[in-house]
Amino acid sequence: RIATQDRLEKPLTDQERSERKFLLMTQAPVERLVVNLAIPTIIIMLISALYNVADAFFVGRIGTSATAAVGVSFSLMAVIQAVGFFFGHGAGNFIARELGAKRVENAARMATTGFLSALIAGVLIMAGGLAYLEALAWSLGSTPTILPHACDYLFYILLGAPWMTASLMLNNLLRFQGSAFYGMIGMTAGAVLNIALDPLFIFVFDMGVAGAGLATMAGQFVGFCLLLAGCARQGNIGIKLENFAPALHAYKEMFRGGFPSLCRQSLASVATIFLNHAAGLHGDAVIAAIAVVQRVMMFAGAALIGLGQGFQPVCGFNYGARLFDRVKQAFWFCMKVSFGGLFVLAAVGFLFAPEIIALFRRDDAEVIRVGALSLRLQCVTFPLMSWVILNNMMLQTIGKAVKASFLALARQGLFLLPVLYILEPELGVLGIQLSQPVADLATFIVAIPLGFGELRAMSETTAVVQPIEPSEDFVEA
């Protein structure tokens, strides 16, 4: 109806589009709003997960060592994603609150500052990684048989690091404005291109593992271009060089909103490195099996992350507008949907674990044996992640950086690494397989009081529909 009216009347100004978006985010029925925003983000996350899953699937046809090479390289991918999420979530959470409080100029300055900062950070990662490529491959957990494949793959992943960090920032910029559709177009196009180019580069051009890395880099660049174009459409905040304001207060806000994501993703990288080194003591097959399970679980959890990302702009806008009842309503709706969905996925994964692992390494019985048990053990605690992830996203979006960072640190840092180094010497490969589900259970227990405490605080606060005051840093600026 609005689109038809727009064609009949004079074009809307950016201010009018922003006002309509504000009314939509703060007055539309919460459940329908979350679903409409979550569908594109779920698709984005599923497609993004396909980057790594597709590489592992096609590289798995080369051999076990090649599969393991993609597995050890996942740690670097996690670091690059951590940087992109840091700027994307850090800037995006602030932007959502500022738009909810109708402070559009602050949001526009943060958008450009976050984007250019993410791009520069990606260039620094690329330069440092290429300068010490072989040493990097060793540090990620390569063995002598894995090293040549890992170097070939990492070379192209590093070349694509600037586009990857910038793409993640732009995707989150669009998502936190309630324009996830444009993010979906950019991320989907890049992933589809990656999947199409994988068999072409790997087998037709006979590039092997390097072909998978080149396909990933090409997909990331195309996605970046489309995401950048999407920021200039339909009243979204565009990237304008005159809005670049790299001041201390801007980075403090980014740190406040993005540090939990940086912790979560960085620790995922560190945990993967330690898992690879522990698995390497038992052979390439164990590394390959753990790598496959990580990608399967990442793909299965993508829908949960996508739902949470659909919840975040609703949370940010309404928290900024002090409509706390709508925040809680959206949270509990997402909680019910996510727990039910993860329970179904966990049941499927548990029942068909050997068949799932065999999709990647059908001709290696040891990879299937180790991977199937590892997958089944992780499926036992998988539904509990709905509470952990949604609470982490809520705390991060409403600016509770300390609580959100602690919860982000808990799963991969506070629990996984100690559990791994207690169980692996005692139980061997079984200790490695048990480490993640035990850590997940401990994180769930810790997340219970954190989540309920914040929800209770919102219930006790009188919801007054008025803009919140800007932070002291922005007043001074």
Side-chain angles (χ1 to χ4, degrees):
R1 189 163 59 244
I2 290 175
T4 303
Q5 184 178 350
D6 288 348
R7 288 194 297 267
L8 296 176
E9 298 177 357
K10 63 180 181 180
L12 297 175
T13 65
D14 287 346
Q15 182 63 36
E16 289 170 332
R17 291 188 184 278
S18 296
E19 182 66 25
R20 289 194 176 192
K21 185 171 290 185
F22 173 82
L23 293 175
L24 174 69
M25 299 296 286
T26 57
Q27 295 185 17
V30 169
E31 289 85 356
R32 187 189 311 164
L33 183 61
V34 169
V35 170
N36 288 339
L37 291 173
I39 289 175
T41 58
I42 289 172
I43 294 173
I44 289 170
M45 290 308 302
L46 289 172
I47 292 297
S48 297
L50 280 177
Y51 274 109
N52 287 317
V53 174
D55 284 353
F57 177 81
F58 289 111
V59 169
R61 272 57 189 164
I62 300 175
T64 297
S65 295
T67 303
V70 176
V72 300
S73 302
F74 179 71
S75 300
L76 176 66
M77 297 279 283
V79 170
I80 296 172
Q81 289 172 348
V83 174
F85 283 136
F86 169 76
F87 290 107
H89 290 173
N93 283 305
F94 175 81
I95 288 167
R97 294 195 302 271
E98 292 299 289
L99 292 176
K102 299 186 178 181
R103 292 190 287 266
V104 179
E105 291 184 1
N106 283 348
R109 285 195 295 271
M110 182 62 82
T112 298
T113 303
F115 166 74
L116 291 177
S117 299
L119 189 64
I120 293 169
V123 172
L124 294 176
I125 292 172
M126 176 187 70
L130 291 177
Y132 300 98
L133 182 59
E134 186 169 321
L136 175 63
W138 280 114
S139 68
L140 294 177
S142 294
T143 64
T145 52
I146 293 172
L147 182 66
H149 299 293
C151 288
D152 288 344
Y153 187 73
L154 287 171
F155 176 78
Y156 289 103
I157 296 301
L158 287 165
L159 286 180
W163 318 124
M164 191 180 301
T165 54
S167 294
L168 290 168
M169 194 284 158
L170 291 173
N171 178 42
N172 282 285
L173 171 62
L174 290 165
R175 179 172 64 83
F176 277 100
Q177 296 177 75
S179 298
F181 175 78
Y182 293 103
M184 180 186 71
I185 295 298
M187 299 297 286
T188 301
V192 170
L193 180 63
N194 181 189
I195 295 169
L197 292 178
D198 261 335
L200 180 66
F201 289 160
I202 294 172
F203 304 117
V204 178
F205 293 163
D206 197 27
M207 294 181 65
V209 179
L214 178 58
T216 299
M217 185 189 75
Q220 292 287 350
F221 179 73
V222 170
F224 163 78
C225 294
L226 292 174
L227 288 166
L228 188 61
C231 288
R233 297 180 60 84
Q234 295 296 316
N236 292 317
I237 297 175
I239 303 300
K240 300 178 181 179
L241 292 179
E242 60 266 27
N243 286 330
F244 184 49
L248 178 61
H249 64 81
Y251 289 107
K252 284 174 65 177
E253 290 291 345
M254 285 187 215
F255 186 86
R256 181 184 175 196
F259 186 67
S261 295
L262 184 65
C263 290
R264 183 170 56 248
Q265 290 294 122
S266 297
L267 279 173
S269 174
V270 172
T272 301
I273 291 171
F274 279 96
L275 281 170
N276 288 334
H277 281 286
L281 299 174
H282 305 279
D284 288 2
V286 178
I287 296 180
I290 298 299
V292 169
V293 172
Q294 286 179 323
R295 278 153 180 74
V296 171
M297 297 306 296
M298 178 182 64
F299 187 77
L304 169 61
I305 302 296
L307 179 63
Q309 290 181 347
F311 160 72
Q312 280 185 301
V314 179
C315 177
F317 265 85
N318 288 282
Y319 193 85
R322 303 188 67 80
L323 300 175
F324 301 128
D325 284 342
R326 286 175 62 84
V327 175
K328 292 185 295 178
Q329 185 180 354
F331 174 84
W332 286 115
F333 170 73
C334 292
M335 187 65 226
K336 290 185 290 186
V337 172
S338 61
F339 183 84
L342 293 191
F343 184 84
V344 172
L345 288 175
V348 172
F350 191 92
L351 292 173
F352 300 101
E355 290 80 5
I356 293 172
I357 303 300
L359 291 174
F360 298 87
R361 289 300 300 147
R362 183 175 299 277
D363 59 347
D364 195 321
E366 182 65 7
V367 171
I368 295 174
R369 184 187 67 82
V370 175
L373 179 57
S374 181
L375 179 58
R376 281 175 168 157
L377 290 171
Q378 291 197 37
C379 284
V380 173
T381 58
F382 190 47
L384 303 180
M385 289 300 97
S386 56
W387 178 262
V388 174
I389 297 299
L390 286 175
N391 273 287
N392 191 259
M393 288 184 164
M394 179 183 69
L395 292 169
Q396 184 176 359
T397 302
I398 65 178
K400 305 294 183 179
V402 175
K403 293 180 180 179
S405 298
F406 172 77
L407 191 55
L409 286 166
R411 182 173 184 248
Q412 303 285 20
L414 184 60
F415 296 120
L416 177 60
L417 295 181
V419 168
L420 176 65
Y421 275 86
I422 291 172
L423 295 183
E424 192 276 332
E426 298 294 328
L427 302 175
V429 175
L430 179 60
I432 299 173
Q433 295 168 314
L434 281 169
S435 58
Q436 189 65 71
V438 171
D440 288 348
L441 178 60
T443 307
F444 169 73
I445 294 172
V446 168
I448 292 174
L450 288 176
F452 276 115
E454 200 57 47
L455 292 168
R456 189 182 305 111
M458 279 190 274
S459 298
E460 295 170 354
T461 302
T462 302
V464 180
V465 183
Q466 61 183 23
I468 59 174
E469 294 299 320
S471 68
E472 293 181 2
D473 290 321
F474 271 94
V475 172
E476 293 172 1

